[in-house]
Amino acid sequence: MNILFVSSECYPLIKTGGLADVVGALPLAFDPSITNTTVFLPGFPDVLKNIKNTQKIAEFTDLAGGKSSLVKGTSSTGLNVIVMIAPHLFDLEGNPYVDMQGHDRAGNHIRYAAFSKAASDLSIGKLADLYTFDCVHAHDWQAGLTFAYLEAENLPKGPKRILTIHNLAFQGLFPKEIFAQLRLPSSMFSSNQLEYWGQVSYLKAGVVFSDHVTTVSPTYAAEIKTEELGMGFGGLLNAIKDRVSGITNGIDQGIWDPESDPQITASYSAQSLAGKALCKKALQEKMGLTRSVKKPLFCVISRLTTQKGLDLVLKAIPHLLKNGAQIAILGSGDHDLEHRYLEAADKYKGSVSTYIGYNEVLAHQVQAGADFILIPSRFEPCGLTQLCAMRYGTIPVVTRVGGLNDTVIDCNESALKLGLGTGIHLNDVTENALIESLDRSLGLFHSKKLTNKIRKNGMKQDLSWKSPAQAYNDLYSL
């Protein structure tokens, strides 16, 4: 089978979040003798800098007002990629979706429409006749219109269409006035197709014209079919519930491996945890925290948003410090939360450290050096940081939502008797529930034997892409 992934991100070429990790790792988990995968990407500067072995395969003179071309190449990890080079659309430094002020970039509607149109044409051999695909696997709203353009071709038999929703909160909504620019049949601007409360929704196009919709965990697949957590899509997704399913993400266990990670101070494993203490001391020194293995070290590696519950973590910092703990924050997001975390670091020097931005090397070092990772999300499609944390023996403190619920086993009394606990669950997304879970964490930390048992439970989990890749392969084959 030839599969075309259509995505705006792919690690290690370009990354703003978990989407890139999934698109970068899942194709490599397939058996290449059965499933041949190509990733189609926009030609953002970071992509063009990092792609290797390039060869032009197509050229077109007018797509959304400018010249464009397609080049094939490979990533440093061996992924086969095709990149759409269109400087008038993608010559953007920084975040591919928002500007420096955090506002949606002007022209996003035409940028991702052109990308989706090119993906549609590529998938059926209209742009490069050597390339045709059995299945198109589109990811999130940026690729959602791909299926609308395929539908408009009226083919007797086209490629199978799979849409993965990584986060339903991002729906690709634009004013109805832009519809004419999409060059789609006027009949598609209707309530049962692209129209969404008087706007155009690119994600809805992907849902309506897909053969199957996946999300990144079974619990999230159930949640988004409800009015409460469906974010306006609950009715639509429930109406097609037989073709909506959840497949839990994995991680690349070769990249996230404390036994061989060259970016951390000392190696360690479930059989020998000694190196983790050295990683903790190194992280404390690097982030300006008081060096002490006896102080519980909590961390956050996340977008700084209220969705992630990080407003609650701010309120809980005094309680942590009163109990002798430290906290290291790595992330960016809402400017108000960024400012408040920087203020906390300034106020509590030696106990709170904040790094605004994303740094892949530092993320590995924080995972290796911390004792606990805080993920009190209000909703969480899957989450990858808790998977990486467990791989590094860092205990996740999570809410019972989405993929957090599916991947972290609460170390309650029953689970501990069975030797199954891997983390701590919050009972609710409130300040009091977070404080209660922090107290459980602090109590756990002071029992080294029990802490190490839970660390090892997490480290022994199969968090690879093997099982998810098989589930996707089965879906492609239906």
Side-chain angles (χ1 to χ4, degrees):
M1 288 184 295
N2 290 322
I3 313 298
L4 181 67
F5 273 41
V6 184
S7 173
S8 55
E9 299 182 35
C10 176
Y11 178 83
L13 298 170
I14 182 170
K15 173 178 175 176
T16 70
L19 168 63
D21 291 311
V22 173
V23 174
L26 177 55
L28 297 174
F30 294 130
D31 181 344
S33 68
I34 299 172
T35 306
N36 180 46
T37 309
T38 301
V39 181
F40 183 54
L41 292 166
F44 292 114
D46 283 348
V47 175
L48 300 181
K49 287 175 194 170
N50 294 313
I51 190 174
K52 302 177 183 298
N53 309 314
T54 57
Q55 178 185 341
K56 186 182 290 187
I57 60 171
E59 194 166 27
F60 32 108
T61 57
D62 183 18
L63 184 63
K67 292 183 178 180
S68 304
S69 61
L70 301 184
V71 299
K72 70 173 183 178
T74 57
S75 72
S76 60
T77 55
L79 281 172
N80 294 318
V81 298
I82 295 176
V83 178
M84 177 182 175
I85 299 179
H88 63 294
L89 297 173
F90 305 123
D91 190 12
L92 305 169
E93 294 292 344
N95 189 290
Y97 318 120
V98 298
D99 59 24
M100 293 292 289
Q101 287 70 47
H103 303 133
D104 288 347
R105 286 190 181 275
N108 270 352
H109 68 287
I110 202 68
R111 182 171 296 115
Y112 294 105
F115 174 62
S116 295
K117 172 60 174 166
S120 170
D121 287 352
L122 173 64
S123 72
I124 55 176
K126 288 179 71 174
L127 294 182
D129 57 12
L130 294 177
Y131 290 84
T132 55
F133 295 88
D134 302 301
C135 177
V136 179
H137 188 166
H139 295 264
D140 276 349
W141 73 264
Q142 295 90 344
L145 281 187
T146 304
F147 296 162
Y149 287 115
L150 277 172
E151 184 73 12
E153 293 287 338
N154 291 313
L155 298 172
K157 183 175 176 13
K160 189 168 188 177
R161 308 169 195 170
I162 307 295
L163 174 74
T164 294
I165 299 173
H166 295 261
N167 191 335
L168 190 59
F170 302 104
Q171 301 175 355
L173 296 177
F174 300 99
K176 63 181 180 181
E177 288 77 18
I178 67 97
F179 183 80
Q181 300 176 48
L182 305 182
R183 299 183 183 180
L184 286 166
S186 59
S187 60
M188 284 191 177
F189 189 70
S190 61
S191 60
N192 63 341
Q193 296 191 13
L194 272 66
E195 188 269 335
Y196 181 83
W197 298 99
Q199 298 176 285
V200 178
S201 170
Y202 288 19
L203 185 65
K204 187 178 179 184
V207 171
V208 168
F209 295 119
S210 66
D211 294 310
H212 198 93
V213 176
T214 72
T215 67
V216 288
S217 71
T219 294
Y220 191 60
E223 290 171 345
I224 62 174
K225 295 172 192 168
T226 68
E227 288 301 315
E228 181 185 4
L229 294 173
M231 299 186 180
F233 275 63
L236 171 62
L237 292 166
N238 196 50
I240 61 166
K241 60 185 178 184
D242 291 342
R243 55 186 181 94
V244 178
S245 61
I247 299 173
T248 304
N249 284 339
I251 56 172
D252 187 327
Q253 294 192 153
I255 293 173
W256 296 98
D257 182 3
E259 208 166 356
S260 61
D261 190 340
Q263 299 169 117
I264 63 177
T265 298
S267 61
Y268 59 96
S269 66
Q271 289 70 42
S272 176
L273 286 168
K276 187 164 177 66
L278 298 176
C279 290
K280 180 175 180 176
K281 288 180 179 179
L283 179 65
Q284 288 170 325
E285 184 172 347
K286 182 163 190 169
M287 298 199 73
L289 298 169
T290 303
R291 285 187 63 173
S292 171
V293 293
K294 295 182 178 180
K295 285 182 173 289
L297 176 51
F298 291 77
C299 77
V300 168
I301 305 172
S302 177
R303 283 185 295 111
L304 303 182
T305 66
T306 55
Q307 177 220 317
K308 301 289 188 178
L310 296 179
D311 52 323
L312 302 179
V313 172
L314 264 171
K315 294 177 182 178
I317 285 176
H319 182 80
L320 277 177
L321 304 191
K322 185 176 69 175
N323 285 278
Q326 301 172 320
I327 184 166
I329 296 96
L330 167 59
S332 63
D334 294 348
H335 291 323
D336 178 59
L337 283 175
E338 289 181 354
H339 178 68
R340 291 166 67 191
Y341 273 107
L342 287 170
E343 281 188 331
D346 188 57
K347 182 177 180 179
Y348 303 113
K349 282 183 169 50
S351 296
V352 179
S353 180
T354 299
Y355 180 103
I356 298 299
Y358 186 74
N359 182 313
E360 188 79 13
V361 173
L362 184 57
H364 283 247
Q365 293 167 347
V366 173
Q367 291 283 23
D371 297 302
F372 301 91
I373 187 166
L374 301 179
I375 317 174
S377 301
R378 289 180 165 87
F379 66 92
E380 191 64 66
C382 179
L384 296 176
T385 52
Q386 83 278 10
L387 304 181
C388 299
M390 287 190 286
R391 186 85 169 125
Y392 282 69
T394 296
I395 299 171
V397 181
V398 305
T399 38
R400 288 191 179 103
V401 296
L404 300 176
N405 182 66
D406 292 336
T407 57
V408 178
I409 302 170
D410 184 61
C411 57
N412 55 46
E413 187 175 346
S414 298
L416 289 175
K417 283 182 180 177
L418 295 171
L420 297 176
T422 60
I424 292 174
H425 283 186
L426 278 74
N427 293 321
D428 198 2
V429 192
T430 64
E431 185 180 353
N432 286 340
L434 179 58
I435 294 294
E436 182 181 332
S437 70
L438 294 178
D439 286 343
R440 287 182 65 196
S441 305
L442 292 164
L444 184 65
F445 180 78
H446 296 297
S447 172
K448 185 175 180 180
K449 182 178 179 181
L450 190 53
T451 298
N452 284 345
K453 173 60 178 170
I454 295 167
R455 290 191 203 281
K456 291 177 181 181
N457 286 348
M459 296 177 80
K460 291 175 182 176
Q461 299 291 306
D462 180 3
L463 304 172
S464 74
W465 277 103
K466 182 179 179 181
S467 178
Q470 184 60 56
Y472 279 111
N473 213 52
D474 292 345
L475 194 57
Y476 302 150
S477 303
L478 287 178

